[in-house]
Amino acid sequence: MTVIAFSGTRRRVPAALGACVLSFAAFWVAQRAAHVSMIDLMVYRAEGATVRAGGDLYTLRTTAAHLPSTYPPFAALLFTPLTLLDVTSMRTLATAGNLVLLVVFVGLSMRLVGHARVEGVLWVAAAAVWCEPVWTTVRYGQVNLLLSVLVLWDLSRRPAERPDRWAGVGVGLAAAVKLTPALFAVFLLATGLVARLGGRDGGPWLRHARGAAATFAGATLLAVAALPYDSWRFWTAMVFRTGRVGRAEETANQALRGVLARLLHTPEPGSAWTAAAALTAVLGLAVAVAAELHGRRAWAVAACAVTALLISPVSWSHHWVWCVPVVLLLWTHGHRAVAVGTMTVFCSYALWWVPHGQGRPELHQSAVGLTLSALYSVTGVLFLALARTSSPRPGRSGHAEAQAGEAQAVTKE
């Protein structure tokens, strides 16, 4: 029987690999046919060139769209090697690198939900490359997949009860490049504090949060040493100027702020967004912490990711690559109709069906347009509601449930 199973596995993996390579090749051709600009990658390269030239990072305007530098200075330090490549080679390597990162991201996501089989990873990656957030990430040459891999590597390696010296490094590095992943450190801190208040040992989560904070601080201080003026400018002024990132009402902004700006027909939703974001942050973190304390790490990570996307001032559609682990989580935990619906939302490209671009038509959308351009946020809110209600079955501890899930995953492999 073992020989038969091994033979079946040997047949399934090459088939899955062939499908993945074929899908990626078609994707590559489609991206080239669409004449993708990889505009964000060009901004990263310009940031690296500015650092090497000793220029002012936050007065930079580059590309035909005159885009500014919006990330912390540590990110600009990481972008300096891009200046060593010609543009064609840089774009080719960025596309190939993002496709490799997608496979790693899918693999980590499947490990998180307990179904990390090689052929499964390849089949999912072959399909996931066509969803809108992934397509747009590669189209712009974005770093979303890299940051998501860092976070998932950090949070999926081992149970919360057994953190090691590397715990927090992935989250800390991701937050030093782009601030949104810092919510994962807040989640770890909140979990540790709630565990202690409930009479449990919150030490593992607190150590994990300290590791993330220390890594973030180390990376930020490195940037301060290398770029003191730019660091001062960013942390005292630029970090508060959310308008530099882009207009709130743009259809690509799938955060709550973007939805409210379009709904209220105003470029700045003000206190309405502040209240909505604060409430969502509290409720979303509560869902994540409760899931974590019940031994449901996958639900906790997904809930924290969705919360971060919702409350950020700007969450462009390509930031929602977290739809991949969300769909896998829903599918593997029996919510298959919801998983199919969620996958349909992120593969429909529906937000681009509405008028957008010149003339700011997003400020005058009809009910249909408002619905289509709010699909990601609405899906995120519904996921948090489902995560809240998907509590462990009575009479079983979170640890027991986690053990049962692991045993089931091993059996299926």
Side-chain angles (χ1 to χ4, degrees), residues 3-36:
V3 173
I4 294 175
F6 180 68
S7 177
T9 300
R10 290 184 63 185
R11 288 194 300 270
R12 291 195 299 267
V13 171
L17 178 61
C20 187
V21 170
L22 183 62
S23 179
F24 282 10
F27 176 88
W28 194 302
V29 171
Q31 288 258 318
R32 293 299 172 270
H35 302 291
V36 296

Side-chain angles (χ1 to χ4, degrees), residues 149-200:
V149 163
L150 284 171
V151 171
L152 271 191
W153 169 81
D154 198 344
L155 294 174
S156 67
R157 290 181 306 119
R158 55 174 56 215
E161 294 80 4
R162 295 188 288 116
D164 57 22
R165 63 181 179 176
W166 295 102
V169 170
V171 170
L173 284 175
V177 173
K178 202 170 186 176
L179 295 178
T180 307
L183 192 69
F184 287 97
V186 177
F187 150 70
L188 291 166
L189 174 62
T191 303
L193 294 176
V194 171
R196 283 194 172 177
L197 289 173
R200 295 175 57 178

